Structures are given as structure tokens and as C-alpha cells.
């Protein structure tokens, strides 16, 4: 049938949404997840922990595991606080009272009855014990004068039989209402055959043919339609264990009453013998089920034995869901969530939310955003680092644009060497087209519409990509970031990492000719790759070793003698440690004069190498402000004192200004380097 002329066929039908993937739901938002995970990783979480935390919290418009767990807890609380366990006893009492009242009325109005018999019957009714079980037992041999009374009394036995069976086989209470002798005989045969099958299985003597024959004869009693004996065992044991937990939750008086009444079920003690045998077989074959638990059920709504067993199964399901949603056990995965149970207990919407979280976790893993390292630990992939860096750089670009009032230019760099990257054309671009990418985009877009053998291709504006260029000036950049514990204590840890990642992303994507080295300095200094720095945990380690950091920066500058050195120093404290000649770290506070002298010496060396230096002072300490101002003045450098949230914009602006030969403040030319992709 041609496209556009399709019609619903006669057999097509609309149906209720079954809780599967919502066809109208938007795709999972990996960008939001990656931003949140990146923030937590930079705050010191491992990628595994960060992923778990995001799944627990959820997104802006997405319920998280904690929301679902709260729903599970509320549902469990509702079940335990709403119900009590005397429903069957209450129903037996009501039927018994109805039978006795109808009998008294019949005795009072029957004129033909012998007075002696009347007096004896009334005396027997007057002296019935308070216990329903004892009263039913005593009335077993009573000669009923009222047909209605006799019918109500027989209903008690029928009710008990149906409740006892409903505890083991869900739905029996309703299915066996007004059961005939033939129905009861069929149940007796089923129980006998079932116990025989389970005992054969316990001895290892059962066969698939024996199970198939059992299901062929008695399958109507098992709407779940188990495929093998293990599935049958699981279903029966789960409900039997719930029935036992319900019994455990009753008072001793309730248990005694029900045990006595149970002998009257269907007027046949053999039924209880068969059920007791079944319970024993199930306990032996499934000892791992929870047979010993119980609940405090103090609500107003009474539960019969069958319905109560169902509630205890629901509670077990909710407990299992709570554990799955906690994801606290080794090897836990979102795929562990039982969506069918979740839909039964909390509704389809909760199941859709959980499925979305499953898809999100899977997408993060399958897209290469997160990957397992050789040690088995989950790590952020280079792709994830690039995506996160681009997001951070967009924030930086927006802050710079808003602060400077600069217009948004579409140039990656000044006219110069091609960077190897391309981007979508935008109004005002003067860069040359990338013909290969442009044609590929057009062909991909029109592939479904092109007739076989058709010549030519139609190019639209959205297909056009231009070649990015970068400025020819090469820079050798050293970003020195303070990793002392004070940075973490004062809330500067994450902004420091965001700054490093934004600068790293800018240089590796737009200025590939530049060479960036990241140097962290606490008690000692070390060169770090971006993955190490982003995942760095805050450490309680005294010392701010600017001297060691400057030694490493100058070594980096000397390796690139033809590049413009750019020195960027982010710190919130004066230097309190230095590196001795033997490689040992010396620490003292307040700063020792020798520590300061060593730092000044290496700063002078950086100046001799031609470095353009900018200090980024975090905090308002007057002593620190005076010290950094004197250091910057000594090397003709610049001091910037940004708020922590503006640190990234300040560092990137200074880098771009230094690279272009400016004063380090960025200026309008700074915006030239942010292409359209950053906004």
C-alpha cells in the first residue's frame, strides 16, 4: 500500500496501554544526566557513585529511584495500617449469629413443635460458648428447625473450605462459591495428585511427562499456567509462605480459633490433612522462602484468609522492590527492577518511570559515555569528558558574552590554519565550505526520497558545513590549580575542576596547536591528565607547594621554546611548603621566608622564559591579596579575584587575551574564539 494511503484494517483494534515503552515519551536526556554525573564526579564521587546518585535523584522532569522507593514505602504503610487479620473470624461470627437468630425465631413461632423439644433446643442455643470454633463444633449435631438457619450454618463450612484453599491457590474463594460435591471431589483429587508429584520431585523421581499429565488433568486450578515443576513450585511456595507469615502475624487466640474451625472446612477433616501435607512438601522443597516473618496489622478493615494472603504477597513484592530500588547490593543494575511488580503495586506510570531510568543507564553505558576500566571500575570515557567540557565551555561563553556585551561571532579563531574541524554554516561565516561534509549531509537527508538512478542532489542551507580555522599563534599553557584541602572546605573544589575541564576542552578542540599542561599543587605538585584531575578526591593534606608547581610549569615551557608561555595560577592561599634539594617536602605555617623565596625564584624564571602570568585569587583574605599583588607586580602579571562560579570565565578569558597578545582580560576579541557550537 502506498505511503499516505494506509488505513486501519478491519482487524485493527485500539487497546489499553500495557505499560510498555511510551511511544509519546521524549528520548532520554543524556545531556542532563552527563552534566549531573560530571558535577558529582568533580565533587569527589566515583563515576559509579555519580551514576547511582543521578538515578536516585532523577532529572528535572523524571522521577528517580528515591521517588519510586518513597511510593513503595507509602504503599506498604497503607497496607499494614489499613487492615487487620480477623476478617474470616468476623464473617464466621456473622453467619453464626444469623443462623442462631433465624433458629430462635423458628422455635418461637412453630405451634406444632413439642414443648419439651422446644425447651431443649432453646437451652442448647442459650448455652453456646463464646468461642465461634467451639459453637460451630457444638452445633454440628444440632437438629435445625429453620431451613434458613441450616443454610447459614452450612455456609460457615463452605466459607472455611474456600478460605483455606484460597490461601494456597489464589482465586479459589470466588471460584468455589456454591461448589458442588463433584467440585469438592475434584479438589481432593488435585491435592492428592499434587502431593504425589511434589514427593516424587523431592526424591528426584519425577519426569516431565508426569508434570504434563498433572497439568493436563488439573491445569484449570493454575491460571498462571506454569511451564515446568519449578515454576509451579515457585508459585505455590510464594503464596504458602505468605499464608504462613499471615498466620505468624495473628494473635495466639486467633490462631487457635482458626485451627479449630479449619477442621470444619467443607465438613471434611481430610481437606486440612491434604493442605498440611502440601505445606510440608513446599517447606522442604523451598526452604529459602520467608516462612518466619510477620507484620503488625492494626487497621480497621478485616481481611479473610485468602485476601490476607494476597496482601502479604503484596508486602513481599514491595519489600523486594524496595531492595531493587535501593541498588545497594553488589552487582546491582537497573535491569534488576521487576517492572511487572512495580506496575501491579504502584501503577503503569511508575513502571514507565522505572523503564526510562533503565533506558537512561543503558544509553549511558552503550553510548560510550561510561565504560569499565581494566580494574572493573566504571569511568567517564574521553567522549563523556568532551561532552561535559563542551557544556562547561558553553557556560563560560555565555558569561563572557553577558559580561562584555560582545556580539556573538561565528569564528572559531582568527583567519589562519584550518583546525580540521567543521561546523554548520551560520549567517556571517566567511570560512570555506567543506564540500565533502556538505554533500554527505545532503545525500543522507534525501536518501529516502531519491528515486533510483536519479541524477543530482538538492542542497539546503542546513546541509552546509564550513571549515574551522584557528589562529596561527602557538601557546604553551600551564594551568596551576591549588588542590589543598582549603579549596574543598570553602566550596572551590568543583569550580576549580570545571575551570580546568573548560580550558582543556577549548584548547583540545579549537587550538590544537597549543600545548596545555594541568598541574595540581597541594603539599606537593604533580602533572595530571584531565581525567585524573576531574576525578580527584579532596585530601586532608597540609601544604600549598607553589614552588614545586612552578618548577613543573617551567619545565613544560622549556620543552616548547618557540611557543608563547602562558602561566595561569589558581589558588586560595599563600605558599606554605616547598621542595628541598633532596626531594623532600618542607612545610611551615605561617609561610617560612625560604618557602616564599623559592616560589619567587621560580616565578622569576617563568618571567625570563617570557611567560604571561595571571593569578586567580580565591577568597578575601587581606594577607593573601597583598602577597599575590606583590608577586604579580614583580613579573608584570595580572591579578583576577573572581567569585568561585565565575572562575572558569575568568581563566578562559585570560588565556585567550594572553594568546592574542592582550593584557589578559579578554576584551571583545575574546568572543571571536567561541564558535556557534558553544552557545
Amino acid at each position: 500500500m502506498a505511503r499516505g494511503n494506509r488505513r486501519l484494517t478491519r482487524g485493527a483494534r485500539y487497546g489499553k496501554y500495557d505499560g510498555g515503552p511510551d511511544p509519546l515519551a521524549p528520548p532520554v536526556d543524556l545531556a542532563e544526566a552527563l552534566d549531573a554525573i560530571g558535577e558529582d564526579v568533580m565533587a569527589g564521587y566515583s563515576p559509579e557513585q555519580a551514576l547511582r546518585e543521578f538515578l536516585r535523584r532523577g532529572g528535572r522532569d523524571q522521577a528517580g529511584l528515591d521517588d519510586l522507593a518513597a511510593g513503595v514505602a507509602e504503599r506498604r504503610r497503607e497496607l499494614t495500617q489499613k487492615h487487620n487479620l480477623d476478617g474470616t473470624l468476623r464473617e464466621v461470627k456473622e453467619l453464626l449469629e444469623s443462623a442462631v437468630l433465624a433458629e430462635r425465631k423458628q422455635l418461637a413461632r412453630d405451634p406444632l413443635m413439642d414443648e419439651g423439644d422446644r425447651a431443649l433446643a432453646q437451652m442448647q442455643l442459650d448455652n453456646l460458648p463464646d468461642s465461634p470454633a467451639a459453637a460451630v463444633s457444638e452445633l454440628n449435631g444440632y437438629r435445625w428447625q429453620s431451613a434458613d438457619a441450616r443454610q447459614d450454618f452450612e455456609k460457615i463450612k463452605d466459607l472455611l473450605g474456600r478460605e483455606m484453599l484460597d490461601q494456597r491457590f489464589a482465586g479459589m474463594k470466588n471460584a468455589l462459591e456454591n461448589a458442588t460435591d463433584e467440585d469438592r471431589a475434584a479438589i481432593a483429587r488435585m491435592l492428592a495428585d499434587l502431593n504425589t508429584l511434589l514427593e516424587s520431585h523431592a526424591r528426584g523421581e519425577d519426569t516431565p511427562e508426569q508434570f504434563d499429565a498433572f497439568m493436563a488433568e488439573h491445569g484449570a486450578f493454575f491460571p498462571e499456567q506454569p511451564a515446568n515443576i519449578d515454576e509451579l513450585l515457585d508459585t505455590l511456595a510464594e503464596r504458602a509462605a505468605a499464608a504462613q507469615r499471615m498466620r505468624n502475624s495473628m494473635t495466639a487466640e486467633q490462631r487457635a480459633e482458626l485451627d479449630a474451625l479449619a477442621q470444619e472446612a467443607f465438613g471434611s477433616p481430610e481437606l486440612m490433612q491434604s493442605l498440611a501435607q502440601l505445606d510440608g512438601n513446599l517447606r522442604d522443597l523451598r526452604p529459602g522462602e520467608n516462612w518466619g516473618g510477620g507484620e503488625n496489622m492494626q487497621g480497621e478493615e478485616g481481611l479473610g484468609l485468602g485476601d490476607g494472603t494476597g496482601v502479604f504477597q503484596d508486602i513481599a513484592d514491595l519489600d523486594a522492590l524496595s531492595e531493587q530500588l535501593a541498588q545497594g547490593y553488589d552487582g546491582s543494575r537497573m535491569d534488576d527492577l521487576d517492572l511487572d511488580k512495580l506496575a501491579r503495586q504502584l501503577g503503569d506510570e511508575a513502571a514507565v518511570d522505572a523503564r526510562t531510568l533503565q533506558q537512561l543507564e543503558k544509553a549511558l553505558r552503550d553510548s560510550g559515555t561510561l565504560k569499565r576500566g581494566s580494574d572493573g571500575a566504571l569511568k567517564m570515557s574521553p567522549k563523556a569528558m568532551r561532552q561535559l567540557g563542551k557544556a562547561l565551555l558553553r557556560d563560560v561563553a555565555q558569561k563572557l558574552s553577558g559580561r562584555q556585551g560582545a556580539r556573538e561571532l561565528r569564528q572559531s579563531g582568527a583567519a589562519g590554519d584550518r583546525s580540521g574541524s567543521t561546523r554548520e554554516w551560520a549567517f556571517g561565516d566567511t570560512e570555506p565550505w567543506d564540500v565533502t561534509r556538505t554533500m554527505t549531509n545532503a545525500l543522507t537527508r534525501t536518501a529516502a526520497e531519491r528515486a533510483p538512478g536519479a541524477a543530482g542532489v538538492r542542497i539546503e542551507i542546513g546541509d552546509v558545513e564550513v571549515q574551522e580555522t584557528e589562529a596561527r599563534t602557538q601557546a604553551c599553557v600551564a594551568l596551576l590549580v591549588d588542590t589543598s584541602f582549603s579549596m574543598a572546605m570553602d566550596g572551590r573544589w568543583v569550580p576549580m575542576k570545571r575551570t580546568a575541564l573548560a580550558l582543556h576542552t577549548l584548547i583540545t578542540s579549537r587550538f590544537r596547536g597549543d600545548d596545555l599542561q594541568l598541574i595540581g599543587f597541594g603539599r606537593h605538585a604533580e602533572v595530571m591528565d584531565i581525567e585524573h584531575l576531574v576525578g580527584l578526591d579532596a585530601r586532608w593534606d597540609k601544604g600549598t607547594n607553589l614552588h614545586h608547581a612552578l618548577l613543573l610549569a617551567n619545565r613544560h615551557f622549556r620543552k616548547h621554546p618557540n611557543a608563547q608561555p602562558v602561566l595561569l595560577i589558581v589558588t586560595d592561599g599563600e605558599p606554605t611548603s616547598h621542595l628541598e634539594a633532596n626531594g623532600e617536602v618542607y612545610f611551615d605555617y605561617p609561610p617560612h621566608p625560604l618557602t616564599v623565596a623559592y616560589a619567587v625564584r621560580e616565578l622569576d624564571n617563568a618571567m625570563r622564559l617570557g611567560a604571561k602570568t595571571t593569578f586567580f585569587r580565591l577568597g578575601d583574605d587581606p594577607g593573601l591579596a597583598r602577597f599575590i599583588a606583590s608577586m604579580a607586580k614583580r613579573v608584570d602579571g595580572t591579578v583576577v579575584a573572581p567569585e568561585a562560579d565565575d572562575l572558569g570565565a575568568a581563566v578562559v578569558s585570560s588565556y585567550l587575551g594572553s594568546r592574542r597578545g592582550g593584557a589578559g582580560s579578554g576584551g571583545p576579541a575574546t568572543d571571536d574564539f567561541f564558535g556557534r557550537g558553544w552557545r
Side-chain angles (χ1 to χ4, degrees):
M1 186 178 296
R3 177 183 287 182
N5 294 323
R6 293 176 180 151
R7 295 180 303 168
L8 288 176
T9 63
R10 183 179 297 274
R13 293 290 186 272
Y14 289 105
K16 178 180 180 293
Y17 174 56
D18 64 0
D22 185 353
L24 301 180
V28 291
D29 188 355
L30 289 183
E32 181 189 5
L34 181 59
D35 287 347
I37 291 170
E39 283 289 311
D40 284 344
V41 168
M42 288 187 282
Y45 288 85
S46 71
E48 186 84 53
Q49 291 171 322
L51 173 60
R52 294 295 172 212
E53 283 301 309
F54 177 76
L55 293 174
R56 289 176 68 83
R57 294 191 304 263
R60 286 185 297 271
D61 302 313
Q62 169 65 48
L65 293 176
D66 283 349
D67 299 312
L68 295 174
V72 166
E74 178 59 30
R75 172 65 176 156
R76 193 186 197 285
R77 188 161 47 250
E78 176 188 333
L79 289 177
T80 56
Q81 294 180 356
K82 179 181 180 181
H83 299 108
N84 63 60
L85 303 179
D86 66 354
T88 297
L89 286 175
R90 190 180 302 173
E91 201 168 350
V92 168
K93 288 179 182 178
E94 290 173 357
L95 286 171
L96 185 60
E97 290 171 356
S98 176
V100 170
L101 179 61
E103 181 69 5
R104 289 184 188 279
K105 290 179 178 179
Q106 180 64 27
L107 293 176
R109 65 172 175 255
D110 189 350
L112 301 179
M113 188 175 183
D114 180 78
E115 290 301 324
D117 292 340
R118 190 194 314 273
L120 181 63
Q122 288 175 338
M123 183 176 64
Q124 190 172 354
L125 294 179
D126 290 340
N127 289 285
L128 285 174
D130 292 333
S131 164
V136 170
S137 177
E138 189 163 319
L139 289 171
N140 263 333
Y142 179 79
R143 293 175 56 191
W144 297 93
Q145 301 300 312
S146 166
D148 291 340
R150 183 185 302 107
Q151 186 177 13
D152 282 343
F153 185 73
E154 293 301 321
K155 282 182 180 178
I156 293 175
K157 298 180 180 181
D158 181 70
L159 169 68
L160 291 169
R162 290 186 292 122
E163 287 281 20
M164 292 298 173
L165 286 169
D166 203 33
Q167 273 199 305
R168 278 76 173 183
F169 309 94
M172 280 286 197
K173 181 178 179 181
N174 294 328
L176 291 176
E177 193 168 9
N178 301 318
T180 64
D181 291 341
E182 184 180 349
D183 294 330
R184 298 186 185 97
I187 291 170
R189 288 195 303 273
M190 181 272 291
L191 288 173
D193 291 347
L194 178 58
N195 281 316
T196 299
L197 175 64
L198 296 183
E199 289 165 359
S200 296
H201 183 70
R203 296 191 301 269
E205 298 173 356
D206 63 309
T207 64
E209 290 75 19
Q210 185 180 3
F211 171 79
D212 292 341
F214 173 82
M215 289 300 296
E217 183 173 354
H218 305 296
F221 292 104
F222 304 95
E224 303 88 357
Q225 290 299 301
N228 52 55
I229 192 168
D230 285 320
E231 290 186 11
L232 175 64
L233 269 171
D234 290 341
T235 301
L236 292 174
E238 179 183 304
R239 189 161 179 89
Q244 182 60 49
R245 292 194 300 276
M246 180 180 181
R247 175 181 170 81
N248 299 341
S249 305
M250 294 177 178
T251 64
E253 181 183 357
Q254 287 173 323
R255 287 196 293 269
E257 284 289 316
L258 287 170
D259 287 346
L261 284 169
Q263 301 306 315
E264 306 298 332
F266 285 151
S268 168
E270 291 78 11
L271 173 64
M272 285 309 300
Q273 293 172 5
S274 295
L275 291 177
Q277 183 182 359
L278 174 61
D279 289 344
N281 287 329
L282 293 173
R283 276 177 175 269
D284 292 341
L285 290 167
R286 287 294 185 269
E289 287 286 344
N290 180 12
W291 300 94
E295 298 291 336
N296 183 22
M297 310 285 280
Q298 299 295 333
E300 297 294 326
E301 185 176 314
L303 288 171
L305 295 179
D307 291 341
T309 299
V311 166
F312 274 79
Q313 280 189 288
D314 287 342
I315 291 174
D317 284 351
L318 291 167
D319 289 341
L321 287 170
S322 181
E323 183 178 5
Q324 294 165 11
L325 291 167
Q327 295 279 291
Y329 48 91
D330 291 340
S332 59
R333 296 285 297 266
M334 288 297 299
D335 288 342
D336 298 341
L337 291 183
D338 190 326
L339 299 184
D340 291 336
K341 282 185 180 178
L342 196 61
R344 285 199 303 272
Q345 299 301 331
L346 299 187
D348 290 340
E349 185 175 346
V352 170
D353 286 334
R355 183 179 287 107
T356 301
L357 291 175
Q358 286 181 334
Q359 293 170 346
L360 183 59
E361 183 192 43
K362 186 175 187 300
L364 285 168
R365 296 178 188 274
D366 293 351
S367 67
T369 302
L370 299 173
K371 64 178 183 178
R372 294 280 175 192
S374 57
D375 59 354
L378 199 64
K379 297 181 179 179
M380 293 185 72
S381 67
K383 176 182 178 181
M385 298 297 290
R386 288 193 300 272
Q387 290 174 324
L388 182 58
K390 287 180 179 179
L392 296 176
L393 203 51
R394 278 195 296 271
D395 292 342
V396 168
Q398 289 169 356
K399 287 183 178 180
L400 288 176
S401 177
R403 185 175 67 196
Q404 298 162 356
R407 59 193 177 90
E408 182 183 1
L409 301 180
R410 301 297 202 251
Q411 294 171 286
S412 294
D417 298 329
R418 294 176 183 174
S419 67
S421 300
T422 65
R423 58 178 168 78
E424 186 178 346
W425 176 89
F427 179 76
D429 278 338
T430 59
E431 288 83 2
W433 285 19
D434 187 297
V435 177
T436 302
R437 291 289 304 168
T438 300
M439 293 298 295
T440 300
N441 292 339
L443 288 169
T444 302
R445 178 180 51 77
T446 60
E449 305 169 1
R450 288 170 57 82
V457 60
R458 186 179 71 257
I459 297 176
E460 295 182 354
I461 289 296
D463 300 326
V464 179
E465 293 197 21
V466 296
Q467 297 171 351
E468 292 184 335
T469 60
E470 62 180 19
R472 295 189 179 92
T473 304
Q474 186 183 25
C476 176
V477 186
L479 175 62
L480 283 54
V481 290
D482 190 341
T483 57
S484 61
F485 197 72
S486 61
M487 291 284 286
M489 282 197 308
D490 296 333
R492 297 162 186 150
W493 195 253
V494 173
M496 174 270 289
K497 292 182 177 183
R498 291 170 61 93
T499 296
L501 182 53
L503 183 62
H504 176 271
T505 302
L506 177 62
I507 291 176
T508 55
S509 61
R510 295 300 175 100
F511 301 103
R512 295 183 181 90
D514 288 0
D515 198 300
L516 171 66
Q517 187 166 85
L518 302 172
I519 300 170
F521 63 99
R523 186 175 182 84
H524 68 279
E526 61 178 311
V527 175
M528 301 179 179
D529 59 34
I530 189 61
E531 290 81 6
H532 181 192
L533 180 58
V534 167
L536 187 67
D537 288 334
R539 293 170 291 192
W540 178 254
D541 200 7
K542 293 181 179 179
T544 304
N545 201 332
L546 180 59
H547 166 238
H548 192 186
L550 289 168
L551 280 171
L552 296 175
N554 288 336
R555 184 178 67 181
H556 178 55
F557 295 152
R558 291 188 184 99
K559 289 180 180 179
H560 302 82
N562 297 322
Q564 168 61 58
V566 177
L567 179 61
L568 308 171
I569 304 171
V570 178
T571 185
D572 69 346
E574 300 174 62
T576 55
S577 61
H578 66 264
L579 205 61
E580 296 277 9
N582 62 2
E584 295 294 323
V585 172
Y586 176 86
F587 167 80
D588 195 14
Y589 184 84
H592 193 281
L594 189 59
T595 298
V596 175
Y598 279 167
V600 169
R601 184 182 68 187
E602 287 308 314
L603 192 62
D604 288 345
N605 288 337
M607 180 182 65
R608 294 187 190 99
L609 291 170
K612 296 181 178 180
T613 302
T614 305
F615 286 90
F616 300 90
R617 173 173 57 80
L618 301 177
D620 300 322
D621 180 59
L624 175 64
R626 287 192 298 271
F627 173 77
I628 289 183
S630 65
M631 293 275 279
K633 183 177 180 181
R634 181 181 182 90
V635 295
D636 195 24
T638 304
V639 178
V640 182
E643 295 295 328
D645 290 342
D646 291 329
L647 178 61
V651 169
V652 168
S653 176
S654 179
Y655 158 70
L656 293 174
S658 298
R659 197 178 188 283
R660 294 293 300 272
S665 60
T670 297
D671 205 38
D672 293 355
F673 293 93
F674 291 106
R676 170 176 183 222
W678 303 124
R679 302 302 177 86

PDB file of all heavy atoms in Angstrom, residues 638-654:
ATOM      1  N   THR A 638      49.099  39.785  36.059  1.00  0.00           N
ATOM      2  CA  THR A 638      47.751  40.282  36.308  1.00  0.00           C
ATOM      3  C   THR A 638      47.134  39.494  37.456  1.00  0.00           C
ATOM      4  O   THR A 638      47.398  38.299  37.618  1.00  0.00           O
ATOM      5  CB  THR A 638      46.875  40.116  35.047  1.00  0.00           C
ATOM      6  OG1 THR A 638      47.513  40.775  33.955  1.00  0.00           O
ATOM      7  CG2 THR A 638      45.498  40.718  35.253  1.00  0.00           C
ATOM      8  N   VAL A 639      46.312  40.175  38.242  1.00  0.00           N
ATOM      9  CA  VAL A 639      45.574  39.516  39.318  1.00  0.00           C
ATOM     10  C   VAL A 639      44.080  39.632  39.020  1.00  0.00           C
ATOM     11  O   VAL A 639      43.579  40.721  38.734  1.00  0.00           O
ATOM     12  CB  VAL A 639      45.877  40.143  40.693  1.00  0.00           C
ATOM     13  CG1 VAL A 639      45.046  39.442  41.784  1.00  0.00           C
ATOM     14  CG2 VAL A 639      47.355  40.050  41.013  1.00  0.00           C
ATOM     15  N   VAL A 640      43.399  38.508  39.089  1.00  0.00           N
ATOM     16  CA  VAL A 640      41.946  38.475  38.936  1.00  0.00           C
ATOM     17  C   VAL A 640      41.382  37.833  40.201  1.00  0.00           C
ATOM     18  O   VAL A 640      41.905  36.818  40.669  1.00  0.00           O
ATOM     19  CB  VAL A 640      41.518  37.672  37.692  1.00  0.00           C
ATOM     20  CG1 VAL A 640      40.009  37.694  37.540  1.00  0.00           C
ATOM     21  CG2 VAL A 640      42.198  38.221  36.441  1.00  0.00           C
ATOM     22  N   ALA A 641      40.365  38.448  40.774  1.00  0.00           N
ATOM     23  CA  ALA A 641      39.753  37.918  42.001  1.00  0.00           C
ATOM     24  C   ALA A 641      38.290  37.591  41.733  1.00  0.00           C
ATOM     25  O   ALA A 641      37.385  38.310  42.157  1.00  0.00           O
ATOM     26  CB  ALA A 641      39.883  38.913  43.141  1.00  0.00           C
ATOM     27  N   PRO A 642      38.029  36.499  41.017  1.00  0.00           N
ATOM     28  CA  PRO A 642      36.637  36.173  40.660  1.00  0.00           C
ATOM     29  C   PRO A 642      35.914  35.474  41.803  1.00  0.00           C
ATOM     30  O   PRO A 642      36.522  34.932  42.717  1.00  0.00           O
ATOM     31  CB  PRO A 642      36.817  35.217  39.477  1.00  0.00           C
ATOM     32  CG  PRO A 642      38.090  34.493  39.806  1.00  0.00           C
ATOM     33  CD  PRO A 642      38.972  35.500  40.509  1.00  0.00           C
ATOM     34  N   GLU A 643      34.584  35.487  41.736  1.00  0.00           N
ATOM     35  CA  GLU A 643      33.807  34.592  42.573  1.00  0.00           C
ATOM     36  C   GLU A 643      34.027  33.166  42.064  1.00  0.00           C
ATOM     37  O   GLU A 643      34.396  32.957  40.900  1.00  0.00           O
ATOM     38  CB  GLU A 643      32.317  34.944  42.510  1.00  0.00           C
ATOM     39  CG  GLU A 643      31.977  36.308  43.086  1.00  0.00           C
ATOM     40  CD  GLU A 643      32.252  36.395  44.576  1.00  0.00           C
ATOM     41  OE1 GLU A 643      32.108  35.348  45.261  1.00  0.00           O
ATOM     42  OE2 GLU A 643      32.625  37.484  45.052  1.00  0.00           O
ATOM     43  N   ALA A 644      33.802  32.198  42.926  1.00  0.00           N
ATOM     44  CA  ALA A 644      34.084  30.813  42.534  1.00  0.00           C
ATOM     45  C   ALA A 644      33.327  30.422  41.269  1.00  0.00           C
ATOM     46  O   ALA A 644      33.873  29.757  40.382  1.00  0.00           O
ATOM     47  CB  ALA A 644      33.731  29.862  43.675  1.00  0.00           C
ATOM     48  N   ASP A 645      32.067  30.850  41.149  1.00  0.00           N
ATOM     49  CA  ASP A 645      31.270  30.471  39.978  1.00  0.00           C
ATOM     50  C   ASP A 645      31.737  31.141  38.699  1.00  0.00           C
ATOM     51  O   ASP A 645      31.380  30.696  37.598  1.00  0.00           O
ATOM     52  CB  ASP A 645      29.795  30.805  40.217  1.00  0.00           C
ATOM     53  CG  ASP A 645      29.159  29.892  41.254  1.00  0.00           C
ATOM     54  OD1 ASP A 645      29.734  28.818  41.517  1.00  0.00           O
ATOM     55  OD2 ASP A 645      28.105  30.248  41.805  1.00  0.00           O
ATOM     56  N   ASP A 646      32.507  32.231  38.814  1.00  0.00           N
ATOM     57  CA  ASP A 646      32.999  32.941  37.631  1.00  0.00           C
ATOM     58  C   ASP A 646      34.432  32.587  37.307  1.00  0.00           C
ATOM     59  O   ASP A 646      35.039  33.190  36.406  1.00  0.00           O
ATOM     60  CB  ASP A 646      32.892  34.451  37.854  1.00  0.00           C
ATOM     61  CG  ASP A 646      31.448  34.927  37.896  1.00  0.00           C
ATOM     62  OD1 ASP A 646      30.623  34.307  37.205  1.00  0.00           O
ATOM     63  OD2 ASP A 646      31.157  35.886  38.623  1.00  0.00           O
ATOM     64  N   LEU A 647      35.001  31.608  38.026  1.00  0.00           N
ATOM     65  CA  LEU A 647      36.410  31.275  37.828  1.00  0.00           C
ATOM     66  C   LEU A 647      36.684  30.796  36.411  1.00  0.00           C
ATOM     67  O   LEU A 647      37.665  31.205  35.781  1.00  0.00           O
ATOM     68  CB  LEU A 647      36.826  30.199  38.843  1.00  0.00           C
ATOM     69  CG  LEU A 647      38.268  29.703  38.744  1.00  0.00           C
ATOM     70  CD1 LEU A 647      39.251  30.841  38.972  1.00  0.00           C
ATOM     71  CD2 LEU A 647      38.512  28.572  39.750  1.00  0.00           C
ATOM     72  N   GLY A 648      35.815  29.927  35.885  1.00  0.00           N
ATOM     73  CA  GLY A 648      36.033  29.393  34.543  1.00  0.00           C
ATOM     74  C   GLY A 648      36.080  30.487  33.498  1.00  0.00           C
ATOM     75  O   GLY A 648      36.964  30.507  32.630  1.00  0.00           O
ATOM     76  N   ALA A 649      35.132  31.412  33.554  1.00  0.00           N
ATOM     77  CA  ALA A 649      35.102  32.510  32.588  1.00  0.00           C
ATOM     78  C   ALA A 649      36.354  33.365  32.713  1.00  0.00           C
ATOM     79  O   ALA A 649      36.929  33.805  31.704  1.00  0.00           O
ATOM     80  CB  ALA A 649      33.851  33.357  32.803  1.00  0.00           C
ATOM     81  N   ALA A 650      36.807  33.597  33.948  1.00  0.00           N
ATOM     82  CA  ALA A 650      37.988  34.428  34.146  1.00  0.00           C
ATOM     83  C   ALA A 650      39.232  33.772  33.573  1.00  0.00           C
ATOM     84  O   ALA A 650      40.057  34.422  32.912  1.00  0.00           O
ATOM     85  CB  ALA A 650      38.169  34.709  35.636  1.00  0.00           C
ATOM     86  N   VAL A 651      39.410  32.468  33.799  1.00  0.00           N
ATOM     87  CA  VAL A 651      40.600  31.768  33.319  1.00  0.00           C
ATOM     88  C   VAL A 651      40.602  31.684  31.797  1.00  0.00           C
ATOM     89  O   VAL A 651      41.620  31.951  31.143  1.00  0.00           O
ATOM     90  CB  VAL A 651      40.682  30.361  33.950  1.00  0.00           C
ATOM     91  CG1 VAL A 651      41.750  29.521  33.269  1.00  0.00           C
ATOM     92  CG2 VAL A 651      40.981  30.480  35.435  1.00  0.00           C
ATOM     93  N   VAL A 652      39.471  31.316  31.218  1.00  0.00           N
ATOM     94  CA  VAL A 652      39.407  31.216  29.750  1.00  0.00           C
ATOM     95  C   VAL A 652      39.637  32.577  29.106  1.00  0.00           C
ATOM     96  O   VAL A 652      40.359  32.708  28.114  1.00  0.00           O
ATOM     97  CB  VAL A 652      38.047  30.618  29.319  1.00  0.00           C
ATOM     98  CG1 VAL A 652      37.842  30.772  27.824  1.00  0.00           C
ATOM     99  CG2 VAL A 652      37.973  29.152  29.721  1.00  0.00           C
ATOM    100  N   SER A 653      39.037  33.616  29.674  1.00  0.00           N
ATOM    101  CA  SER A 653      39.227  34.959  29.144  1.00  0.00           C
ATOM    102  C   SER A 653      40.700  35.361  29.201  1.00  0.00           C
ATOM    103  O   SER A 653      41.243  35.930  28.249  1.00  0.00           O
ATOM    104  CB  SER A 653      38.380  35.957  29.937  1.00  0.00           C
ATOM    105  OG  SER A 653      38.619  37.277  29.505  1.00  0.00           O
ATOM    106  N   SER A 654      41.354  35.056  30.314  1.00  0.00           N
ATOM    107  CA  SER A 654      42.777  35.402  30.451  1.00  0.00           C
ATOM    108  C   SER A 654      43.628  34.632  29.448  1.00  0.00           C
ATOM    109  O   SER A 654      44.537  35.188  28.837  1.00  0.00           O
ATOM    110  CB  SER A 654      43.238  35.096  31.876  1.00  0.00           C
ATOM    111  OG  SER A 654      44.611  35.390  32.029  1.00  0.00           O
TER     112      SER A 654
END
